[in-house]
Amino acid sequence: MKGLLRNPPLSLYVHLPWCVRKCPYCDFNSHAMPAAGIPRDAYLAALLDDFGYATEGLGGREISSVFFVGGTPSLFAAEQIAASLQGARQLLPVVADLEVTREANPGTVEHGAFAGYRDAGVNRVSLGAQSFNDRHLASLGRIHAHGEIEAAVAELRDAGLTNFNLDLMYGLPRQTLAEALLDVDRTIELAPRHISHYQLTLEPGTAFEKRPPELPDDDTSFAMQGACQERLAAAGYRQYEVSAYAQVGSECRHNLNYWHFGDYLGIGAGAHGKTTDPGTLEVTRTERVKQPGRYLSAAKARDRLTATRVIAAGDLPFEFFLNVLRLTGGFDASLFEERTGLSFATVSGELARARERGLIEESATGHWAPTQLGRLFLNDLQAVFLPEGAAPGLR
């Protein structure tokens, strides 16, 4: 094992699990609002207690980014977001240019609300548009229509929040290629700095898995992906991750930290976290209680922690490549060694096999990146790094 050269960047993930209505495709830990209303103040107190426990032993490491995820974080008032950020700053220092992202649903945006979130410290917003076709929005169970997306973007600009992302899906029930391209065109017209563009999939445990809608066939979905990527590239949006496109300099720093195998504290119901101990070189993953009621009723902060797993050294290469290979720009050997504590020679055999199959390539300067074939068959590329004997069917 090699010593880490420095601590990985540390992000903060805050999960706010309630939404107005559960979408049939959603496999996130989200729950429809209870009839009695959301216990916002009680949940905020639990979050701060949870965060205090999560920061023990971190030695004053700086937070580089914060992401409020849901559910629907816009169901929480700006004052509560401000209080949570203030509480975080009291427990750990933050970088001077802290990126603070908050997800929002166009159907829950109130007039003037974004100005409050801006004043609370939010400087980036991710808006769940999904489609500009009202028929498709209805099939996805969304509570907004296309006009509310445009209204929300206007609200963002009025508040001076010009750094925003629009989430967009393709491969929707009975969607045509022309409709998928029209969604991309409507998105580009609104000029977000960042676009998340991903295919609808039928995830286990969702309503769509139990009652599958009629989706485009594989060939049509593949054509949608390629045509939409070309349209986005022509408009100046560079693909830097499997489903992420950004104008130059507007990549999401929080998500980049995930893909670079950085550290993050996950607080809130169902949140996952990952931290690296610079002394022992151990990488630990954590999980919080999923049910909001159980999360709130925990007598002690440690009772909210349901799982703690130290990643075995033999599993670290796969964990690293599971993340970093999502990036179109690839990685350097030094990043692997910094984030895993292992010598790069540890994975020389796997890299050679992947290169022989045309899935990955090395530049003249020693930089590694997935090839176009590797990006198309990313699961096959990632599986090359599975530990010996693990899920042999993936080889």
Side-chain angles (χ1 to χ4, degrees), residues 74-305:
S74 48
L75 294 175
F76 282 72
E79 293 79 9
Q80 289 156 333
I81 299 296
S84 63
L85 288 171
Q86 181 181 4
R89 290 174 183 272
Q90 290 174 347
L91 289 165
L92 283 183
V94 303
V95 298
D97 58 344
L98 181 70
E99 178 190 83
V100 181
T101 304
R102 199 209 68 172
E103 289 185 340
N105 185 327
T108 60
V109 174
E110 297 180 1
H111 180 65
F114 283 129
Y117 290 113
R118 176 205 61 208
D119 293 343
V122 172
N123 51 31
R124 185 178 183 275
V125 172
S126 181
L127 201 61
Q130 314 309 0
S131 175
F132 287 82
N133 183 308
D134 287 344
R135 175 172 59 86
H136 292 145
L137 288 171
S139 73
L140 293 173
R142 303 296 289 173
I143 64 171
H144 67 271
H146 75 275
E148 289 168 284
I149 303 171
E150 293 151 356
V153 169
E155 289 274 349
L156 283 168
R157 295 194 187 285
D158 287 345
L161 288 168
T162 56
N163 186 14
F164 65 93
N165 167 70
L166 288 183
D167 269 351
L168 194 65
M169 301 174 74
Y170 69 95
L172 307 180
R174 301 188 179 184
Q175 187 181 39
T176 66
L177 173 58
E179 288 173 332
L181 283 169
L182 184 58
D183 273 347
V184 169
D185 289 339
R186 297 285 296 276
T187 301
I188 292 171
E189 287 172 5
L190 294 175
R193 292 191 190 175
H194 190 286
I195 297 172
S196 297
H197 185 251
Y198 51 95
Q199 184 177 356
L200 171 64
T201 55
L202 306 183
E203 300 293 346
T206 63
F208 269 2
E209 186 212 20
K210 297 171 185 174
R211 296 179 296 280
E214 183 181 340
L215 300 182
D217 60 33
D218 290 343
D219 288 343
T220 302
S221 293
F222 185 73
M224 288 178 181
Q225 180 186 25
C228 290
Q229 285 177 341
E230 289 180 5
R231 194 69 57 90
L232 288 165
Y237 291 92
R238 184 183 70 89
Q239 183 183 18
Y240 69 96
E241 188 265 340
V242 170
S243 59
Y245 303 76
Q247 297 173 351
V248 175
S250 293
E251 296 83 1
C252 177
R253 283 193 280 132
H254 185 91
N255 287 341
L256 275 174
N257 191 36
Y258 290 152
W259 310 136
H260 284 136
F261 207 48
D263 284 353
Y264 52 96
L265 300 177
I267 65 169
H272 291 226
K274 169 195 170 282
T275 53
T276 305
D277 187 314
T280 64
L281 307 180
E282 288 183 341
V283 176
T284 302
R285 292 198 180 277
T286 57
E287 296 178 28
R288 258 60 182 178
V289 172
K290 290 185 67 174
Q291 288 298 324
R294 285 187 56 207
Y295 183 86
L296 283 167
S297 64
K300 296 180 180 179
R302 66 171 177 266
D303 296 334
R304 299 187 183 95
L305 195 65

Side-chain angles (χ1 to χ4, degrees), residues 352-360 373 380-381 383-384 394-395:
R353 289 197 296 273
R355 184 163 52 182
E356 288 170 5
R357 294 170 60 184
L359 300 175
I360 200 168
L373 182 67
D380 291 339
L381 174 55
V384 171
L394 293 176
R395 290 277 184 174

